[in-house]
PDB file of all heavy atoms in Angstrom:
ATOM      1  N   ASP B  22     -51.193 -53.817 -70.983  1.00  0.00           N
ATOM      2  CA  ASP B  22     -50.199 -53.688 -69.860  1.00  0.00           C
ATOM      3  C   ASP B  22     -50.834 -53.000 -68.644  1.00  0.00           C
ATOM      4  O   ASP B  22     -52.074 -52.694 -68.653  1.00  0.00           O
ATOM      5  CB  ASP B  22     -48.963 -53.021 -70.253  1.00  0.00           C
ATOM      6  CG  ASP B  22     -48.162 -53.717 -71.407  1.00  0.00           C
ATOM      7  OD1 ASP B  22     -48.358 -54.921 -71.415  1.00  0.00           O
ATOM      8  OD2 ASP B  22     -47.586 -53.107 -72.184  1.00  0.00           O
ATOM      9  N   CYS B  23     -50.063 -52.568 -67.657  1.00  0.00           N
ATOM     10  CA  CYS B  23     -50.541 -51.898 -66.516  1.00  0.00           C
ATOM     11  C   CYS B  23     -51.232 -50.610 -66.975  1.00  0.00           C
ATOM     12  O   CYS B  23     -50.555 -49.822 -67.602  1.00  0.00           O
ATOM     13  CB  CYS B  23     -49.443 -51.657 -65.496  1.00  0.00           C
ATOM     14  SG  CYS B  23     -49.972 -51.085 -63.846  1.00  0.00           S
ATOM     15  N   THR B  24     -52.501 -50.518 -66.555  1.00  0.00           N
ATOM     16  CA  THR B  24     -53.307 -49.330 -67.078  1.00  0.00           C
ATOM     17  C   THR B  24     -53.917 -48.587 -65.912  1.00  0.00           C
ATOM     18  O   THR B  24     -54.367 -49.201 -64.874  1.00  0.00           O
ATOM     19  CB  THR B  24     -54.384 -49.906 -68.011  1.00  0.00           C
ATOM     20  OG1 THR B  24     -53.786 -50.662 -69.032  1.00  0.00           O
ATOM     21  CG2 THR B  24     -55.237 -48.829 -68.534  1.00  0.00           C
ATOM     22  N   TYR B  25     -53.929 -47.258 -66.081  1.00  0.00           N
ATOM     23  CA  TYR B  25     -54.512 -46.404 -65.117  1.00  0.00           C
ATOM     24  C   TYR B  25     -55.686 -45.577 -65.663  1.00  0.00           C
ATOM     25  O   TYR B  25     -55.641 -45.103 -66.905  1.00  0.00           O
ATOM     26  CB  TYR B  25     -53.429 -45.427 -64.577  1.00  0.00           C
ATOM     27  CG  TYR B  25     -52.187 -46.193 -64.071  1.00  0.00           C
ATOM     28  CD1 TYR B  25     -51.121 -46.335 -64.874  1.00  0.00           C
ATOM     29  CD2 TYR B  25     -52.216 -46.807 -62.815  1.00  0.00           C
ATOM     30  CE1 TYR B  25     -49.955 -47.030 -64.499  1.00  0.00           C
ATOM     31  CE2 TYR B  25     -51.093 -47.489 -62.290  1.00  0.00           C
ATOM     32  CZ  TYR B  25     -50.015 -47.648 -63.163  1.00  0.00           C
ATOM     33  OH  TYR B  25     -48.881 -48.258 -62.728  1.00  0.00           O
ATOM     34  N   LEU B  26     -56.719 -45.352 -64.797  1.00  0.00           N
ATOM     35  CA  LEU B  26     -57.928 -44.788 -65.276  1.00  0.00           C
ATOM     36  C   LEU B  26     -58.289 -43.542 -64.416  1.00  0.00           C
ATOM     37  O   LEU B  26     -57.979 -43.591 -63.227  1.00  0.00           O
ATOM     38  CB  LEU B  26     -59.122 -45.684 -65.234  1.00  0.00           C
ATOM     39  CG  LEU B  26     -58.953 -47.059 -66.112  1.00  0.00           C
ATOM     40  CD1 LEU B  26     -60.007 -47.906 -65.854  1.00  0.00           C
ATOM     41  CD2 LEU B  26     -58.835 -46.675 -67.534  1.00  0.00           C
ATOM     42  N   CYS B  27     -58.854 -42.543 -64.920  1.00  0.00           N
ATOM     43  CA  CYS B  27     -59.352 -41.419 -64.174  1.00  0.00           C
ATOM     44  C   CYS B  27     -60.612 -40.823 -64.829  1.00  0.00           C
ATOM     45  O   CYS B  27     -60.643 -40.717 -66.104  1.00  0.00           O
ATOM     46  CB  CYS B  27     -58.309 -40.342 -63.993  1.00  0.00           C
ATOM     47  SG  CYS B  27     -58.858 -38.832 -63.073  1.00  0.00           S
ATOM     48  N   GLU B  28     -61.617 -40.498 -64.030  1.00  0.00           N
ATOM     49  CA  GLU B  28     -62.833 -39.840 -64.502  1.00  0.00           C
ATOM     50  C   GLU B  28     -63.219 -38.762 -63.705  1.00  0.00           C
ATOM     51  O   GLU B  28     -63.408 -38.922 -62.524  1.00  0.00           O
ATOM     52  CB  GLU B  28     -63.988 -40.921 -64.646  1.00  0.00           C
ATOM     53  CG  GLU B  28     -65.107 -40.296 -65.438  1.00  0.00           C
ATOM     54  CD  GLU B  28     -66.171 -41.414 -65.794  1.00  0.00           C
ATOM     55  OE1 GLU B  28     -66.430 -42.272 -64.940  1.00  0.00           O
ATOM     56  OE2 GLU B  28     -66.689 -41.464 -66.824  1.00  0.00           O
ATOM     57  N   ILE B  29     -63.386 -37.463 -64.293  1.00  0.00           N
ATOM     58  CA  ILE B  29     -63.656 -36.301 -63.469  1.00  0.00           C
ATOM     59  C   ILE B  29     -64.907 -35.689 -63.915  1.00  0.00           C
ATOM     60  O   ILE B  29     -65.210 -35.727 -65.161  1.00  0.00           O
ATOM     61  CB  ILE B  29     -62.487 -35.318 -63.740  1.00  0.00           C
ATOM     62  CG1 ILE B  29     -61.096 -35.947 -63.400  1.00  0.00           C
ATOM     63  CG2 ILE B  29     -62.746 -33.987 -63.011  1.00  0.00           C
ATOM     64  CD1 ILE B  29     -60.958 -36.164 -61.840  1.00  0.00           C
ATOM     65  N   SER B  30     -65.713 -35.117 -63.048  1.00  0.00           N
ATOM     66  CA  SER B  30     -66.850 -34.432 -63.344  1.00  0.00           C
ATOM     67  C   SER B  30     -66.549 -32.992 -63.738  1.00  0.00           C
ATOM     68  O   SER B  30     -65.936 -32.211 -62.906  1.00  0.00           O
ATOM     69  CB  SER B  30     -67.865 -34.427 -62.121  1.00  0.00           C
ATOM     70  OG  SER B  30     -68.955 -33.550 -62.394  1.00  0.00           O
ATOM     71  N   LEU B  31     -66.951 -32.532 -64.940  1.00  0.00           N
ATOM     72  CA  LEU B  31     -66.674 -31.185 -65.373  1.00  0.00           C
ATOM     73  C   LEU B  31     -67.405 -30.116 -64.544  1.00  0.00           C
ATOM     74  O   LEU B  31     -67.030 -29.058 -64.496  1.00  0.00           O
ATOM     75  CB  LEU B  31     -66.940 -31.014 -66.922  1.00  0.00           C
ATOM     76  CG  LEU B  31     -65.953 -31.587 -67.847  1.00  0.00           C
ATOM     77  CD1 LEU B  31     -66.277 -31.151 -69.276  1.00  0.00           C
ATOM     78  CD2 LEU B  31     -64.529 -31.078 -67.464  1.00  0.00           C
ATOM     79  N   ASP B  32     -68.621 -30.532 -64.099  1.00  0.00           N
ATOM     80  CA  ASP B  32     -69.471 -29.584 -63.354  1.00  0.00           C
ATOM     81  C   ASP B  32     -68.733 -29.183 -61.985  1.00  0.00           C
ATOM     82  O   ASP B  32     -69.045 -28.090 -61.521  1.00  0.00           O
ATOM     83  CB  ASP B  32     -70.813 -30.251 -63.099  1.00  0.00           C
ATOM     84  CG  ASP B  32     -71.610 -30.501 -64.307  1.00  0.00           C
ATOM     85  OD1 ASP B  32     -71.345 -29.851 -65.328  1.00  0.00           O
ATOM     86  OD2 ASP B  32     -72.404 -31.417 -64.313  1.00  0.00           O
ATOM     87  N   SER B  33     -67.839 -30.014 -61.551  1.00  0.00           N
ATOM     88  CA  SER B  33     -67.173 -29.759 -60.288  1.00  0.00           C
ATOM     89  C   SER B  33     -65.916 -28.872 -60.560  1.00  0.00           C
ATOM     90  O   SER B  33     -65.353 -28.323 -59.580  1.00  0.00           O
ATOM     91  CB  SER B  33     -66.739 -31.093 -59.717  1.00  0.00           C
ATOM     92  OG  SER B  33     -67.877 -31.869 -59.356  1.00  0.00           O
ATOM     93  N   LEU B  34     -65.347 -28.906 -61.692  1.00  0.00           N
ATOM     94  CA  LEU B  34     -64.208 -28.132 -62.023  1.00  0.00           C
ATOM     95  C   LEU B  34     -64.630 -26.654 -62.181  1.00  0.00           C
ATOM     96  O   LEU B  34     -65.610 -26.349 -62.817  1.00  0.00           O
ATOM     97  CB  LEU B  34     -63.497 -28.534 -63.365  1.00  0.00           C
ATOM     98  CG  LEU B  34     -62.817 -30.017 -63.237  1.00  0.00           C
ATOM     99  CD1 LEU B  34     -62.263 -30.380 -64.571  1.00  0.00           C
ATOM    100  CD2 LEU B  34     -61.893 -30.044 -62.127  1.00  0.00           C
ATOM    101  N   LYS B  35     -63.804 -25.737 -61.735  1.00  0.00           N
ATOM    102  CA  LYS B  35     -64.126 -24.298 -61.780  1.00  0.00           C
ATOM    103  C   LYS B  35     -62.984 -23.589 -62.601  1.00  0.00           C
ATOM    104  O   LYS B  35     -61.841 -24.007 -62.322  1.00  0.00           O
ATOM    105  CB  LYS B  35     -64.200 -23.644 -60.435  1.00  0.00           C
ATOM    106  CG  LYS B  35     -65.393 -24.282 -59.571  1.00  0.00           C
ATOM    107  CD  LYS B  35     -66.775 -24.051 -60.239  1.00  0.00           C
ATOM    108  CE  LYS B  35     -67.856 -24.573 -59.401  1.00  0.00           C
ATOM    109  NZ  LYS B  35     -69.202 -24.354 -60.019  1.00  0.00           N
ATOM    110  N   LYS B  36     -63.320 -22.744 -63.405  1.00  0.00           N
ATOM    111  CA  LYS B  36     -62.313 -21.926 -64.204  1.00  0.00           C
ATOM    112  C   LYS B  36     -62.000 -20.749 -63.370  1.00  0.00           C
ATOM    113  O   LYS B  36     -62.554 -19.705 -63.554  1.00  0.00           O
ATOM    114  CB  LYS B  36     -62.835 -21.559 -65.544  1.00  0.00           C
ATOM    115  CG  LYS B  36     -61.858 -20.925 -66.464  1.00  0.00           C
ATOM    116  CD  LYS B  36     -62.446 -20.512 -67.765  1.00  0.00           C
ATOM    117  CE  LYS B  36     -61.342 -19.794 -68.640  1.00  0.00           C
ATOM    118  NZ  LYS B  36     -61.923 -19.427 -69.943  1.00  0.00           N
ATOM    119  N   ALA B  37     -61.112 -20.857 -62.374  1.00  0.00           N
ATOM    120  CA  ALA B  37     -60.725 -19.845 -61.494  1.00  0.00           C
ATOM    121  C   ALA B  37     -59.606 -19.008 -62.144  1.00  0.00           C
ATOM    122  O   ALA B  37     -58.659 -19.439 -62.899  1.00  0.00           O
ATOM    123  CB  ALA B  37     -60.227 -20.435 -60.199  1.00  0.00           C
ATOM    124  N   LEU B  38     -59.789 -17.669 -61.800  1.00  0.00           N
ATOM    125  CA  LEU B  38     -58.701 -16.769 -62.403  1.00  0.00           C
ATOM    126  C   LEU B  38     -57.440 -16.927 -61.569  1.00  0.00           C
ATOM    127  O   LEU B  38     -57.521 -17.184 -60.317  1.00  0.00           O
ATOM    128  CB  LEU B  38     -59.248 -15.323 -62.284  1.00  0.00           C
ATOM    129  CG  LEU B  38     -60.490 -14.912 -63.090  1.00  0.00           C
ATOM    130  CD1 LEU B  38     -61.027 -13.575 -62.847  1.00  0.00           C
ATOM    131  CD2 LEU B  38     -60.226 -15.067 -64.583  1.00  0.00           C
ATOM    132  N   PRO B  39     -56.293 -16.552 -62.216  1.00  0.00           N
ATOM    133  CA  PRO B  39     -55.067 -16.738 -61.387  1.00  0.00           C
ATOM    134  C   PRO B  39     -54.968 -15.749 -60.290  1.00  0.00           C
ATOM    135  O   PRO B  39     -55.544 -14.557 -60.507  1.00  0.00           O
ATOM    136  CB  PRO B  39     -53.968 -16.459 -62.549  1.00  0.00           C
ATOM    137  CG  PRO B  39     -54.682 -16.700 -63.856  1.00  0.00           C
ATOM    138  CD  PRO B  39     -56.199 -16.396 -63.639  1.00  0.00           C
ATOM    139  N   LYS B  40     -54.462 -16.090 -59.157  1.00  0.00           N
ATOM    140  CA  LYS B  40     -54.361 -15.231 -57.983  1.00  0.00           C
ATOM    141  C   LYS B  40     -52.832 -15.012 -57.667  1.00  0.00           C
ATOM    142  O   LYS B  40     -52.091 -15.903 -57.715  1.00  0.00           O
ATOM    143  CB  LYS B  40     -55.077 -15.836 -56.819  1.00  0.00           C
ATOM    144  CG  LYS B  40     -56.520 -15.947 -56.966  1.00  0.00           C
ATOM    145  CD  LYS B  40     -57.166 -16.570 -55.716  1.00  0.00           C
ATOM    146  CE  LYS B  40     -58.642 -16.616 -55.806  1.00  0.00           C
ATOM    147  NZ  LYS B  40     -59.283 -17.220 -54.569  1.00  0.00           N
ATOM    148  N   ALA B  41     -52.557 -13.739 -57.569  1.00  0.00           N
ATOM    149  CA  ALA B  41     -51.146 -13.345 -57.265  1.00  0.00           C
ATOM    150  C   ALA B  41     -50.892 -13.605 -55.695  1.00  0.00           C
ATOM    151  O   ALA B  41     -51.670 -13.474 -54.927  1.00  0.00           O
ATOM    152  CB  ALA B  41     -51.048 -11.876 -57.561  1.00  0.00           C
ATOM    153  N   LYS B  42     -49.704 -14.158 -55.602  1.00  0.00           N
ATOM    154  CA  LYS B  42     -49.312 -14.431 -54.167  1.00  0.00           C
ATOM    155  C   LYS B  42     -48.060 -13.597 -53.855  1.00  0.00           C
ATOM    156  O   LYS B  42     -47.271 -13.250 -54.764  1.00  0.00           O
ATOM    157  CB  LYS B  42     -48.862 -15.909 -54.081  1.00  0.00           C
ATOM    158  CG  LYS B  42     -50.049 -16.884 -54.289  1.00  0.00           C
ATOM    159  CD  LYS B  42     -49.567 -18.284 -54.175  1.00  0.00           C
ATOM    160  CE  LYS B  42     -50.709 -19.255 -54.359  1.00  0.00           C
ATOM    161  NZ  LYS B  42     -50.303 -20.757 -54.218  1.00  0.00           N
ATOM    162  N   THR B  43     -47.928 -13.305 -52.581  1.00  0.00           N
ATOM    163  CA  THR B  43     -46.784 -12.518 -52.078  1.00  0.00           C
ATOM    164  C   THR B  43     -45.531 -13.250 -52.287  1.00  0.00           C
ATOM    165  O   THR B  43     -45.585 -14.503 -52.054  1.00  0.00           O
ATOM    166  CB  THR B  43     -47.025 -11.999 -50.688  1.00  0.00           C
ATOM    167  OG1 THR B  43     -47.174 -13.197 -49.864  1.00  0.00           O
ATOM    168  CG2 THR B  43     -48.290 -11.150 -50.610  1.00  0.00           C
ATOM    169  N   TYR B  44     -44.523 -12.580 -52.554  1.00  0.00           N
ATOM    170  CA  TYR B  44     -43.203 -13.261 -52.716  1.00  0.00           C
ATOM    171  C   TYR B  44     -42.231 -12.651 -51.743  1.00  0.00           C
ATOM    172  O   TYR B  44     -42.001 -11.433 -51.589  1.00  0.00           O
ATOM    173  CB  TYR B  44     -42.733 -13.047 -54.196  1.00  0.00           C
ATOM    174  CG  TYR B  44     -41.319 -13.630 -54.419  1.00  0.00           C
ATOM    175  CD1 TYR B  44     -41.301 -15.050 -54.661  1.00  0.00           C
ATOM    176  CD2 TYR B  44     -40.181 -12.952 -54.349  1.00  0.00           C
ATOM    177  CE1 TYR B  44     -39.980 -15.632 -54.956  1.00  0.00           C
ATOM    178  CE2 TYR B  44     -38.995 -13.521 -54.529  1.00  0.00           C
ATOM    179  CZ  TYR B  44     -38.847 -14.845 -54.780  1.00  0.00           C
ATOM    180  OH  TYR B  44     -37.650 -15.451 -55.039  1.00  0.00           O
ATOM    181  N   SER B  45     -41.615 -13.531 -50.906  1.00  0.00           N
ATOM    182  CA  SER B  45     -40.609 -13.091 -49.837  1.00  0.00           C
ATOM    183  C   SER B  45     -39.310 -12.909 -50.461  1.00  0.00           C
ATOM    184  O   SER B  45     -38.834 -13.758 -51.267  1.00  0.00           O
ATOM    185  CB  SER B  45     -40.782 -14.062 -48.707  1.00  0.00           C
ATOM    186  OG  SER B  45     -39.757 -13.664 -47.826  1.00  0.00           O
TER     187      SER B  45
END
């Protein structure tokens, strides 16, 4: 049936630490 594909380079992904944002 209708099929969707995605391929991602792991070298481009970064394991960033969560950043706190100001809350209004």
Side-chain angles (χ1 to χ4, degrees):
D22 294 332
C23 192
T24 302
Y25 306 97
L26 304 170
C27 178
E28 191 168 40
I29 302 296
S30 172
L31 280 190
D32 298 333
S33 302
L34 294 178
K35 300 297 182 182
K36 186 180 179 182
L38 295 175
K40 294 183 179 179
K42 296 182 179 180
T43 58
Y44 180 81
S45 177

